[in-house]
Amino acid sequence: MSHLTLPEIIHDGEFILTAGTDDNGNPEVVVHTAHGKTFVAFITFDDIPRWVSELDTPSVPLEMVLMAYWAKHQEANNEETMLLFWRWIVAAAFDREQREENGTVQVEWRPGDMRECALYVGKFGAMNLYPCAERLAMANNIEGALIERYGREQGTRNAIEFYVAMKGREGGLTELGRQVLADLHDTFIRELNDTGLPETPTTH
């Protein structure tokens, strides 16, 4: 890991991130709301991609600043962690493109908690996009297929390479990336139209 100037305080709109080290000298990040009074999270540096990937309630500004901070300072070539990072990158780019193309809808995330949700419109209908569910769907359907075919180590490497190929230069997706995710969501919608919601949904 590269040298960190500690403590480092990052102000990013809604949040304040304080990067420092714990008593054992391990890098850590503490997140508070912008006024500094409400604690949000304590995250070890190495766990940032996993924490963001598993974030149930989306917070794009917080996710972006955490991932940017991690990408700036990380040096260890941990393929499992890099897979989480690239999965998030591709899912975030897809969500952003769909917001720009199709707009958003207001959904009740939790009782009384209304949030804007991106909308996907495809061949067989439309569906709301939930970031955590997007990442889970990618893990199940893209990574899962590659790992099943090539084994854990090689399948993980192949999935990272595939995600890199899906990501464009200007913050969006490549045509490959758009087509892969469009096909994935069209399949979901067609299955929902034909059979309805499964009893125990694993993705969307």
Side-chain angles (χ1 to χ4, degrees):
M1 184 181 303
S2 61
H3 174 71
L4 306 179
T5 302
L6 303 169
E8 179 181 356
I9 300 177
I10 304 168
H11 294 266
D12 188 72
E14 300 177 35
F15 301 98
I16 298 174
L17 278 66
T18 304
T21 56
D22 61 19
D23 293 339
N24 297 319
N26 300 313
E28 64 183 14
V29 177
V30 181
V31 182
H32 291 84
T33 53
H35 52 67
K37 297 180 180 179
T38 303
F39 172 78
V40 177
F42 168 87
I43 317 165
T44 61
F45 178 85
D46 290 338
D47 201 43
I48 287 174
R50 184 170 301 281
W51 188 88
V52 170
S53 181
E54 295 176 354
L55 192 62
D56 181 50
T57 303
S59 176
V60 174
L62 178 58
E63 293 176 27
M64 291 184 66
V65 72
L66 280 170
M67 283 301 207
Y69 177 78
W70 181 84
K72 177 181 177 181
H73 293 295
Q74 73 85 27
E75 288 183 352
N77 187 22
N78 183 309
E79 291 178 340
E80 292 289 343
T81 305
M82 291 301 295
L83 181 62
L84 293 173
F85 174 75
W86 279 103
R87 181 199 303 157
W88 177 85
I89 287 285
V90 171
F94 181 70
D95 186 273
R96 183 167 56 251
E97 288 192 350
Q98 297 308 302
R99 286 173 181 265
E100 294 173 355
E101 183 174 345
N102 301 314
T104 61
V105 293
Q106 286 284 326
V107 298
E108 190 172 28
W109 209 263
R110 292 188 177 91
D113 182 12
M114 301 299 294
R115 293 175 179 263
E116 283 192 349
C117 186
L119 187 66
Y120 172 77
V121 179
K123 295 178 181 178
F124 307 109
M127 68 184 298
N128 299 340
L129 301 182
Y130 300 92
C132 188
E134 288 298 308
R135 295 189 290 268
L136 179 59
M138 291 167 62
N140 287 346
N141 293 277
I142 297 175
E143 298 161 33
L146 291 170
I147 290 171
E148 181 178 0
R149 181 171 181 178
Y150 296 103
R152 169 63 62 179
E153 291 187 10
Q154 188 60 48
T156 297
R157 296 189 194 102
N158 291 351
I160 293 171
E161 292 175 1
F162 194 58
Y163 286 152
V164 171
M166 293 173 68
K167 181 66 174 62
R169 293 177 176 271
E170 303 299 326
L173 297 175
T174 61
E175 286 303 315
L176 170 67
R178 293 188 188 99
Q179 190 61 55
V180 167
L181 292 178
D183 289 345
L184 190 62
H185 288 78
D186 287 341
T187 299
F188 292 152
I189 295 171
R190 184 173 56 190
E191 290 177 354
L192 289 174
N193 291 341
D194 291 343
T195 63
L197 285 170
E199 292 184 5
T200 307
T202 56
T203 54
H204 284 68

